[in-house]
Amino acid sequence: MTAVATVDWFEGPREELRALFALADDSATAVDGYRHLGRVLVARDGTGIIGHLQLIVSDDLVEAEVRSVAVREDRQGAGVGRMLMERAIAVSRQENRARLLVATAAADVHVLRFYQLLGFRLLHVKRDVFTRDRGYPEIDIDGIPLRDQVWLALDFGNTDLPAARREAMQLRVARHTDDLDALVRFYRDGVGLAEIGRFSGHAGYDGVFLEVPGTGAHLELTAGGDRGAPVPHPESLLVLYVGNQDSVDAIAARLGTPPVVAANPYWATHGVTVEDPDGFRVVLVPESWQT
Ligand SMILES: CC(C)(COP(=O)(O)OP(=O)(O)OC[C@H]1O[C@@H](n2cnc3c(N)ncnc32)[C@H](O)[C@@H]1OP(=O)(O)O)[C@@H](O)C(=O)NCCC(=O)NCCS
């Protein structure tokens, strides 16, 4: 049977989905512990919400898990569960997760069939998960005691784990100098980066942290040690997308240094190149970052 339903993210209070969460998990205690987590997809037809699926991403962002999925009893067997799962699979694949996980009762061979039809493979078994002290009733499903939990996984063949984790990264570019004060004046007072911290005498090093507004990225300037400052190179650039020409002009005016000719002609036509007090180049681009 073909489902006539739409699937979208749920924005309302999770309380509204209490009955569906309860359909997927017999322990109200367990549901209370996770119902608020992650994102929830809902399937709707003319009668309202007929199914839900809760998608939770692991802390390291590598894996996603379908923690809860259910279809209203009068609408089961019509392809709605499959629609919800296929959307969760598509979202997780698009978000570069390495795999999608799901856990269910070993006793429920029907649900095991449902997941395996979607391509999930068995991963491992956790024994005695569905116990009375965790709020589960002592019941049988088709004569099999509700007791053990089976984990299944759908692998996306994404072995590019750094890509899967990319949202977890933050950027800090560190640069060494022999004239910390001059460089801080250039980037903080001229370019307009915000000073967010500094240190002195850390194992012979001084440093200043500057934040690139709106990005969360840092430029860390350090001085000290015994290796001296690096040698500038005309192709070694810090490119700042400042959004518009007025901002480029304002920064150039604050810096008061004449622009230099970019080595790479691309930058000559796409921005203004200036040199910092150490001779390293900064390109100011009057556009927004295009993703
Ligand atoms: C499991 C559940 C979400 C499936 O949703 P559904 O809308 O009924 O499933 P679909 O109609 O999309 O079925 C998809 C496929 O799984 C199979 N399937 C679904 N439920 C099945 C069942 N109880 N027994 C055997 N096969 C089943 C269907 O035959 C279908 O196969 P096909 O594509 O070859 O025809 C739904 O039955 C449900 O809400 N169950 C109660 C809650 C629950 O157990 N949640 C999972 C907890 S881990």
Side-chain angles (χ1 to χ4, degrees):
M1 206 148 77
T2 315
V4 183
T6 56
V7 172
D8 287 300
W9 293 112
F10 181 71
E11 306 291 351
R14 300 277 168 97
E15 177 60 29
E16 275 179 29
L17 307 175
R18 178 173 282 276
L20 285 166
F21 273 96
L23 199 54
D25 191 330
D26 292 318
S27 167
T29 317
V31 172
D32 283 346
Y34 63 71
R35 196 178 53 197
H36 61 286
L37 299 175
R39 295 166 287 173
V40 173
L41 289 165
V42 285
R44 287 187 168 89
D45 69 1
T47 67
I49 293 175
I50 55 170
H52 87 299
L53 182 153
Q54 183 186 28
L55 188 64
I56 299 175
V57 173
S58 60
D59 287 345
D60 63 5
L61 305 173
V62 173
E63 296 171 337
E65 179 196 336
V66 173
R67 178 67 62 89
S68 179
V69 57
V71 173
R72 220 172 64 190
E73 275 167 305
D74 61 330
R75 296 302 309 270
Q76 289 177 6
V80 177
R82 176 182 281 275
M83 275 181 76
L84 285 161
M85 288 299 294
E86 284 177 347
R87 179 67 73 82
I89 291 166
V91 167
S92 303
R93 203 187 280 279
Q94 201 174 16
E95 292 176 346
N96 278 317
R97 309 296 169 212
R99 60 185 180 174
L100 183 59
L101 301 171
V102 68
T104 191
D108 200 334
V109 292
H110 305 290
V111 175
L112 285 170
R113 174 171 191 265
F114 169 69
Y115 291 130
Q116 289 178 87
L117 287 174
L118 286 155
F120 283 78
R121 303 272 308 270
L122 300 186
L123 195 62
H124 57 254
V125 174
K126 274 170 98 173
R127 286 191 175 180
D128 299 313
V129 167
F130 303 111
T131 54
R132 286 188 70 174
D133 58 327
R134 288 198 174 100
Y136 290 94
E138 276 185 47
I139 54 166
D140 289 356
I141 302 175
D142 291 334
I144 308 170
L146 177 69
R147 204 161 46 194
D148 304 328
Q149 185 184 49
V150 178
W151 282 82
L152 300 97
L154 181 65
D155 285 299
F156 297 131
N158 177 15
T159 50
D160 183 12
L161 289 186
R165 287 194 182 101
R166 70 182 187 273
E167 293 162 71
M169 292 188 190
Q170 295 171 299
L171 176 68
R172 176 174 289 167
V173 178
R175 172 94 76 68
H176 203 62
T177 178
D178 286 332
D179 192 346
L180 188 58
D181 289 343
L183 217 55
V184 169
R185 276 198 301 277
F186 179 89
Y187 285 103
R188 183 191 59 198
D189 306 334
V191 175
L193 308 190
E195 181 172 331
I196 53 165
R198 57 171 61 218
F199 58 88
S200 64
H202 279 199
Y205 286 81
D206 299 335
V208 175
F209 298 104
L210 302 173
E211 188 173 52
V212 183
T215 68
H218 296 172
L219 178 62
E220 178 185 358
L221 304 172
T222 56
D226 54 14
R227 291 184 180 79
V231 178
H233 187 284
E235 304 279 18
S236 176
L237 305 170
L238 188 67
V239 181
L240 297 171
Y241 282 73
V242 298
N244 56 65
Q245 191 61 46
D246 285 350
S247 299
V248 171
D249 294 345
I251 294 169
R254 285 202 298 269
L255 292 171
T257 52
V260 296
V261 178
N264 179 337
Y266 177 87
W267 296 118
T269 54
H270 284 81
V272 172
T273 303
V274 291
E275 273 184 2
D276 74 16
D278 283 353
F280 277 95
R281 294 181 168 197
V282 177
V283 186
L284 304 169
V285 182
E287 290 163 21
S288 293
W289 184 265
Q290 300 298 316
T291 50

